[in-house]
Amino acid sequence: MPLFLAACEGRQSALAPAGEDAAQLHLLFLVMLGGAVVLWLALNGAFYVVTRLRPGQMSVRHADRVILFGGVIFPTVLVGALLAWGLSIMPEQRATGDGLVVRVTAEEWWWRVEYWPEGAEAPVITANEIRLPAGVRTELKLNANRYIHSFWVPALGGKMDMIPGRETVLTLRPEIPGLYRGQCAEFCGASHAMMAFETVILEPAAFDDWLA
Ligand SMILES: [Cu+2]
């Protein structure tokens, strides 16, 4: 298994974050995983104690107390704390952008990407490739032409649905320049698998040069 995993690269992995939002979600995943492992160990440890170490030796009163603390109070506190922390991250995932706005429209079946440089009368349009500056929180205005799609660049942040007739907004702050892969994350038709795109993260000066 480690040999197979060693072949993985981080181009399309939520476990190899390259941006502020993805890093936060990565930490959320690790903490949730840690909480799940603690619960799993505690539950199986309790099974081991009552079936192998001390079978049949627990009084009813003692057992009631174990059920109350181990089965009600402990999981409620642990899962409640994880839920509260998970919810507290949501506003940060919707933080306002630094001013750069990119409009992404899901077509059948490709991605239309529009940039509006300052003073421009018409947008700069690209297909299936999104270029963003590192260190800048960009606002992505997401639209869909006919079907519901979902915008997702795992290395940069969470998913956001793209719904015909309703604009959704996702802000991303990439940090590490490089090439990352995005993929439509909502089944949208026979060519759903083809709905992939490259995300090129550039240094801000290089991004300005490219856009110019
Ligand atoms: Cu799609």
Side-chain angles (χ1 to χ4, degrees):
M1 184 63 85
L3 278 176
F4 280 117
L5 290 176
C8 293
E9 53 169 3
R11 242 159 69 71
Q12 190 185 329
S13 174
L15 299 179
E20 196 181 15
D21 312 86
Q24 210 169 31
L25 295 178
H26 183 230
L27 179 65
L28 178 69
F29 166 73
L30 291 179
V31 172
M32 291 285 174
L33 181 68
V37 168
V38 167
L39 270 183
W40 187 88
L41 287 175
L43 183 65
N44 284 282
F47 272 132
Y48 186 74
V49 168
V50 297
T51 56
R52 301 290 159 99
L53 293 187
R54 299 169 57 199
Q57 284 182 20
M58 201 180 281
S59 70
V60 172
R61 218 176 131 219
H62 189 188
D64 282 348
R65 233 182 272 159
V66 169
I67 289 170
L68 179 66
F69 282 96
V72 180
I73 295 174
F74 172 65
T76 303
V77 169
L78 182 64
V79 176
L82 289 176
L83 176 69
W85 183 59
L87 291 176
S88 77
I89 282 174
M90 285 176 73
E92 291 171 52
Q93 293 282 317
R94 281 160 176 69
T96 37
D98 293 331
L100 177 66
V101 175
V102 178
R103 180 180 291 268
V104 182
T105 308
E107 307 278 351
E108 302 86 63
W109 276 264
W110 57 282
W111 304 83
R112 180 196 298 273
V113 186
E114 291 169 77
Y115 305 81
W116 287 85
E118 230 167 281
E121 284 176 9
V124 175
I125 303 176
T126 64
N128 297 332
E129 186 186 89
I130 300 176
R131 295 197 175 214
L132 299 174
V136 176
R137 183 161 285 280
T138 302
E139 198 172 310
L140 294 151
K141 296 199 164 180
L142 307 175
N143 297 270
N145 186 30
R146 189 170 170 193
Y147 303 117
I148 295 177
H149 303 262
S150 187
F151 181 94
W152 193 31
V153 187
L156 298 184
K159 295 173 193 166
M160 181 64 77
D161 276 5
M162 308 169 87
I163 299 156
R166 184 176 136 188
E167 189 170 76
T168 49
V169 178
L170 178 72
T171 67
L172 290 177
R173 188 173 181 275
E175 276 164 341
I176 306 170
L179 204 59
Y180 306 98
R181 193 172 185 273
Q183 170 68 45
C184 178
E186 174 80 38
F187 181 72
C188 55
S191 298
H192 169 65
M194 312 277 279
M195 283 206 70
F197 57 96
E198 293 292 350
T199 312
V200 187
I201 305 305
L202 300 163
E203 294 291 356
F207 173 80
D208 291 341
D209 287 349
W210 169 79
L211 192 56

